Amino acid sequence: MSDNSTAGLARLTPYELVFDEPAIEGRTFPAIQDEAEAQGVDPAHPERFAFLTRAAEAVRDVVPAEASPDSLDQYRIFFYHAFNFWRFGKRTYVLEPAVARYLVEASPDLRGWELRLPAESAYVQLPPNLFWASVAADAQAEPVDGFFVCCARHTDADGEPYDTLEVLMVLGIHGQRAGLSLIHFDTEVGPGIPATWTEGPGRDEGTDFESVLPGGEMAGLYSIVTVTEALRLVGRALWYVDAHPGHVARHETAERRAAERPGTAPLSRLPFHRVSLAEADGGAAAE
């Protein structure tokens, strides 16, 4: 079952687990920023970020010598998202369970909405243990903590600009392991494109977000099996934040420390934005 003891509160984020250190925030990230500015490079562009000398050195410093090429790519993209998350103010958005269920059960129509991020880079945190996914078809399912999102500007062969939404899905943050799992994907964005994310089925068999865990459907859990489903959830979450500004409330860390209890998920030390369900949507989903 979903753990409601921390529902609506920001749990310890993957950024804090790995990058919230004085050496990184005080020296490494500022050095990368200085190099990007000196070279006129936009570090929100993942390929250009990877070729910054300071960024490449920082990744090499944290990657184990025995890491595979695939692992190295994951470290690079994690570093990319962490840096931009830091650069744009570490904006965190926490979906209350009722909002997350509404986004699945109501299948909101995104026609007419153009993708707008609440910040150039952000982390969208899902309710604890509500969504589950696997890094591979034969891998064990893990709880999805949330998504890093960042928009990158590109230029095509004809010199025309276009944008991509860079997404890093984070899973497997729990007390039984020290690390986490990552799934990266990106997609082109532009006028009318978000509406296409909701067209057609998201998986070959079954309905979108239908749980594939034993007993998961009875427990009210959801599974993310395909990139299409992940993209739909991300798009709907970003749409909801954009369309319901009156239900996005900023909270400071000091307001929440008393909520921590032994045995509950550790809470984040970062300020966060709590996303609650609008009354007009209340009948579409129950917590």
Side-chain angles (χ1 to χ4, degrees):
M1 291 289 290
S2 175
D3 175 14
N4 289 321
S5 61
T6 56
L9 301 179
R11 305 180 304 280
L12 196 66
T13 63
Y15 176 89
E16 293 168 278
L17 285 171
V18 180
F19 296 97
D20 188 11
E21 299 180 4
I24 294 178
E25 291 195 334
R27 294 194 296 272
T28 302
F29 283 169
I32 294 172
Q33 177 75 7
D34 290 345
E35 182 184 359
E37 292 177 355
Q39 295 189 13
V41 170
D42 179 7
H45 191 295
E47 287 81 13
R48 293 172 185 168
F49 174 83
F51 279 103
L52 290 170
T53 300
R54 295 286 191 178
E57 290 175 346
V59 171
R60 284 197 298 269
D61 286 343
V62 298
V63 173
E66 67 277 9
S68 66
D70 287 344
S71 296
L72 184 59
D73 288 341
Q74 285 198 333
Y75 276 102
R76 287 195 187 105
I77 199 66
F78 194 12
F79 223 99
Y80 157 81
H81 277 284
F83 170 78
N84 283 287
F85 182 67
W86 167 82
R87 184 164 72 109
F88 291 114
K90 296 184 279 192
R91 295 282 289 272
T92 303
Y93 293 81
V94 179
L95 302 187
E96 290 188 346
V99 175
R101 291 195 183 279
Y102 168 79
L103 298 180
V104 171
E105 305 296 341
S107 300
D109 187 353
L110 303 190
R111 283 179 296 182
W113 178 69
E114 293 187 20
L115 178 72
R116 284 183 292 272
L117 269 63
E120 285 87 343
S121 174
Y123 187 67
V124 179
Q125 193 169 67
L126 301 173
N129 304 319
L130 183 60
F131 292 86
W132 293 72
S134 304
V135 295
D138 58 349
Q140 183 176 354
E142 300 177 281
V144 182
D145 187 80
F147 303 86
F148 285 102
V149 290
C150 186
C151 264
R153 173 58 58 93
H154 303 260
T155 303
D156 65 19
D158 298 322
E160 294 296 322
Y162 68 95
D163 293 339
T164 60
L165 179 66
E166 305 289 333
V167 182
L168 186 65
M169 184 164 71
V170 183
L171 12 158
I173 299 179
H174 52 76
Q176 282 68 51
R177 63 176 296 190
L180 45 78
S181 300
L182 305 170
I183 299 176
H184 167 251
F185 58 93
D186 57 47
T187 183
E188 187 173 341
V189 294
I193 289 180
T196 67
W197 298 346
T198 61
E199 296 175 357
R203 57 173 78 171
D204 293 335
E205 297 181 0
T207 59
D208 287 0
F209 304 108
E210 180 182 351
S211 179
V212 297
L213 299 175
E217 187 173 0
M218 183 175 294
L221 306 181
Y222 301 116
S223 290
I224 300 174
V225 177
T226 66
V227 170
T228 299
E229 287 177 300
L231 187 58
R232 285 180 180 175
L233 183 58
V234 171
R236 291 171 185 176
L238 294 175
W239 162 80
Y240 199 90
V241 170
D242 184 49
H244 299 81
H247 292 268
V248 180
R250 179 181 167 88
H251 291 260
E252 297 293 341
T253 303
E255 298 176 12
R256 330 175 343 277
R257 299 311 296 176
E260 283 192 333
R261 295 290 185 272
T264 62
L267 297 183
S268 172
R269 297 179 295 275
L270 301 176
F272 71 100
H273 295 77
R274 184 171 184 166
V275 184
S276 58
L277 190 67
E279 290 183 9
D281 303 325
E287 185 172 333

